[in-house]
Amino acid sequence: SYYTDWTKEVFRRAVTQEYNVGVEGSSNGSRYYASIGYYDGQGMQYNDDYDKISADLSYENRISRKLTFSSKAGFVRGKRNHNMGTSYARNPLWPVYNGDGTYFKANSIDYGNPVMINNEVTNNSESLNGYLNARVDWKIIDGLTFTATGSGRAQQSRNCWYNPPKYTYGGDTYNGEGGVGESTWLHLQTDALLRYEKAWGRHNFSAMAGASYENRVDQYSSITGRGFTNSALKYETVSGA
């Protein structure tokens, strides 16, 4: 007889690694800081992982006594495997594998073997995020200052999934089903402010004028295929399904 501890097949001792290194310096009125990092994190369940690479750069330059420029830019590239939450509430009298090495299924529509799901079902995503911020401060004359800021943020992401026949309900129903989804967005914003402040004895005078611009663009597309003639390439042949 079998006794399967499904918690050991679903959960693991997760290991997380994170490394960061940075460098900074200054000379002749300018300062800079650059850093790069790497993160690799395992989820509590098997086949549930996330890793990313990131980089940041900041720079400030005092061009003159009246003019200063500063900026900051960076990106993050991430990858994620999803197992969509496998269950450990499975009959402990059921084994993981049959005697011939195939996955054990209590019946033809038993799709709950967590080891089978982790090994055969595909669901992963990757993304690239970037940003840029810049600022200019200009003291035009005594009391009159001008400040301009600009920022941009963008993201591109892609998700790929595949449910194979025999091991999933959707795969069995449609002889394999899979898809690819892609999305992008871009956000731009600029602000400009002109300010004047003056004091005459006990009297203070101030005035300001400003302008702002903001724009955001979002795009999303997806494709789903069913009826795969070859499951080996999974979602890569989705257009021919």
Side-chain angles (χ1 to χ4, degrees), residues 12 14-18 38-45 47-52 79-81:
R12 63 183 172 184
V15 177
T16 298
Q17 304 178 69
E18 186 170 7
Y38 173 73
Y39 174 89
D40 183 9
Q42 295 180 338
M44 292 181 61
Q45 296 191 12
N47 201 36
D48 190 35
D49 311 292
Y50 176 70
D51 68 84
K52 67 177 181 177
K79 294 183 178 181
R80 174 76 190 271
N81 289 326

Side-chain angles (χ1 to χ4, degrees), residues 15-193:
V15 177
T16 298
Q17 304 178 69
E18 186 170 7
Y19 307 94
N20 293 280
V21 61
V23 59
E24 61 181 331
S26 61
S27 65
N28 299 325
S30 64
R31 296 186 300 173
Y32 65 87
Y33 175 77
S35 66
I36 186 170
Y38 173 73
Y39 174 89
D40 183 9
Q42 295 180 338
M44 292 181 61
Q45 296 191 12
Y46 286 103
N47 201 36
D48 190 35
D49 311 292
Y50 176 70
D51 68 84
K52 67 177 181 177
I53 297 175
S54 61
D56 294 279
L57 173 65
S58 60
Y59 176 76
E60 181 178 330
N61 186 13
R62 190 174 181 87
I63 301 172
S64 67
R65 292 188 303 107
K66 296 185 177 182
L67 185 62
T68 302
F69 170 78
S70 61
S71 65
K72 187 173 183 179
F75 78 90
V76 177
R77 178 65 182 267
K79 294 183 178 181
R80 174 76 190 271
N81 289 326
H82 309 263
N83 74 357
M84 309 307 292
T86 50
S87 174
Y88 58 90
R90 189 168 170 84
N91 191 332
L93 299 181
W94 294 348
V96 177
Y97 300 99
N98 294 310
D100 60 0
T102 59
Y103 300 108
F104 174 83
K105 297 177 64 175
N107 51 63
S108 61
I109 57 172
D110 174 20
Y111 307 111
N113 188 327
V115 178
M116 178 179 70
I117 294 173
N118 284 335
N119 291 340
E120 304 300 333
V121 177
T122 299
N123 193 326
N124 56 60
S125 61
E126 58 182 46
S127 63
L128 177 63
N129 297 266
Y131 73 92
L132 172 64
N133 300 322
R135 174 172 177 148
V136 174
D137 293 287
W138 181 22
K139 185 177 180 181
I140 304 172
I141 60 174
D142 187 31
L144 181 63
T145 58
F146 173 76
T147 301
T149 61
S151 65
R153 293 183 177 272
Q155 175 180 286
Q156 182 178 31
S157 60
R158 187 171 190 258
N159 175 250
C160 306
W161 60 277
Y162 181 71
N163 294 326
K166 188 176 180 181
Y167 307 123
T168 61
Y169 174 78
D172 256 357
T173 303
Y174 303 107
N175 191 36
E177 66 170 350
V180 177
E182 295 185 348
S183 66
T184 60
W185 60 262
L186 173 65
H187 181 211
L188 300 174
Q189 182 173 349
T190 60
D191 296 281
L193 180 64

